Every structure is written in C-alpha cells, then in structure tokens.
C-alpha cells in the first residue's frame, strides 16, 4: 500500500485504500423537493461535484417533487434503463407531512442496507448532535442498484458522501467495499 494523502484517509477505524485499480461507478443524483430548482439545488450540486472529484461517472441528475409516485417513477425508469450502478437521493427524509422518500423507496428495496442508517446517524451525531433524530436516512438495493437516501441539507449530504458512501463505492477500499459485490447482486 502506498501512503494515502490525509484527504483520502477513510474515516472509519480499520478502513484503508490499497494500491489497486480504481473502478468508476455510474451514479445518479435525485433531489426530492417541492421548492428547489436547478439553481437552488445546492445539495444535489455538492453530490454531483463530489462524485466527479472521486472519479466516478455522474450519469443522471434530476429534481422531483415530494410525491411518492414521482419519486418511484424516476427511480424505476433510471434503473430499468440500466445506466446506473447507484442512486443517491437528497431530501424528503425528515418528519414533516411532505417528507415521503422512505415511504416511496423502502417498499421497492429488494434488500435493505440497515447498517447505512446506523453509521450515518453515528457520524451525523458528531456534527449536529441530537438533531440527527429528525432524519430517516435509509439505503437498499433495487434490482441490483444501490440506493442511498440522504437528507436534503448540505451538511447531511457532505457527511453521507464524505464519510460513508464515498468509501463504500471506492473499489480500493478495504477490508471490503460495495463495488466488489456488484457482479453478484442479482444472483439467484
């Protein structure tokens, strides 16, 4: 293993990058909001920029309203097209009446990634304390595609990408990463 610059040091104990080829992942970003448009979608922009900075392929980006069927329709079409390996959503994970991302997507999960919510909340607690209780961040697999649902705040997006998702979508991260699972996600 070569010396890893500090900004590429995984935040978790035991995690490390090894000297292997990097495998870019095709990632889509979906902002879920009734109020944001392309100009005001700062959390979606943060994700898109970080995806590029990490060397991945930002294949799709869109904004849909906080409506269950609109959210499901967009994800289903992206997944059916076969052009994404992962989707990261931002927004709609709170507790208000219009926050419906978990209700829209969890029923579509073939498998939940329960540890994502646990780890996200542990890391978020370090940044915002007990306010992390107001998030219902979740993740799962839909037809072999990873789906990560983050809150809509810029800080939550940074925490979710910088401290969790980035490392699990880096093929060089050891002792394990989600990229190495991709060829086997649809096994029966």
């Amino acid at each position: 293993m070569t010396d890893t610059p500090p900004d590429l040091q995984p935040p978790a104990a035991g995690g490390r990058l090894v000297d292997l080829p990097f495998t870019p992942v095709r990632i889509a970003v979906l902002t879920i909001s009734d109020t944001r448009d392309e100009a005001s979608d700062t959390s979606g922009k943060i994700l898109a920029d970080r995806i590029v900075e990490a060397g991945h392929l930002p294949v799709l980006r869109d904004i849909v309203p906080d409506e269950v069927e609109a959210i499901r329709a967009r994800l289903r079409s992206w997944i059916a097209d076969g052009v994404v390996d992962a989707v990261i959503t931002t927004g709609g994970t709170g507790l208000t009446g219009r926050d419906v991302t978990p209700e829209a997507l969890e029923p579509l999960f073939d498998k939940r990634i329960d540890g994502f919510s646990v780890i996200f909340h542990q890391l978020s607690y370090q940044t915002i304390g007990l306010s992390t209780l107001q998030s219902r961040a979740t993740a799962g697999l839909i037809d072999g595609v990873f789906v990560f649902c983050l809150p809509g705040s810029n800080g939550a997006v940074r925490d979710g990408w910088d401290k969790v998702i980035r490392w699990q979508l880096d093929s060089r991260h050891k002792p394990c990463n989600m990229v190495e699972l991709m060829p086997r996600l649809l096994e029966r």
Side-chain angles (χ1 to χ4, degrees):
M1 182 173 106
T2 60
D3 288 331
T4 307
D7 66 324
L8 290 179
Q9 291 290 338
R16 67 189 188 289
L17 290 182
V18 297
D19 192 15
L20 291 171
F22 177 78
T23 303
V25 175
R26 301 171 302 164
I27 304 173
V29 174
L30 181 63
T31 298
I32 299 161
S33 174
D34 289 331
T35 59
R36 294 192 185 173
D37 58 21
E38 189 174 329
S40 63
D41 180 20
T42 55
S43 59
K45 181 172 179 3
I46 289 168
L47 276 173
D49 290 347
R50 280 171 156 70
I51 288 165
V52 171
E53 288 168 10
H56 295 295
L57 307 170
V59 292
L60 299 163
R61 182 172 167 202
D62 202 359
I63 301 171
V64 296
D66 290 288
E67 296 172 5
V68 170
E69 288 310 315
I71 298 165
R72 287 180 179 169
R74 182 65 69 237
L75 245 71
R76 283 182 176 137
S77 71
W78 284 355
I79 291 169
D81 287 346
V83 298
V84 296
D85 301 309
V87 175
I88 305 172
T89 72
T90 173
T93 63
L95 300 174
T96 70
R98 295 291 294 161
D99 291 321
V100 296
T101 301
E103 288 79 10
L105 297 180
E106 287 180 342
L108 304 181
F109 289 169
D110 300 312
K111 294 187 178 187
R112 284 183 55 138
I113 305 171
D114 293 321
F116 174 77
S117 180
V118 173
I119 296 301
F120 174 82
H121 284 292
Q122 286 178 346
L123 294 167
S124 178
Y125 179 78
Q126 295 171 12
T127 305
I128 63 168
L130 292 175
S131 294
T132 192
L133 292 174
Q134 296 180 28
S135 164
R136 296 179 300 141
T138 187
L141 284 166
I142 302 173
D143 293 334
V145 173
F146 291 107
V147 178
F148 300 95
C149 304
L150 296 173
S153 75
N154 293 345
V157 164
R158 286 185 194 101
D159 283 348
W161 175 261
D162 295 347
K163 298 176 182 178
V164 186
I165 300 168
R166 172 186 182 170
W167 305 107
Q168 279 300 292
L169 294 183
D170 191 319
S171 58
R172 304 165 298 173
H173 183 268
K174 297 297 176 185
C176 59
N177 61 74
M178 292 179 172
V179 178
E180 61 196 12
L181 300 175
M182 287 178 175
R184 300 177 37 221
L185 292 176
L186 295 176
E187 324 181 295
R188 301 279 177 216

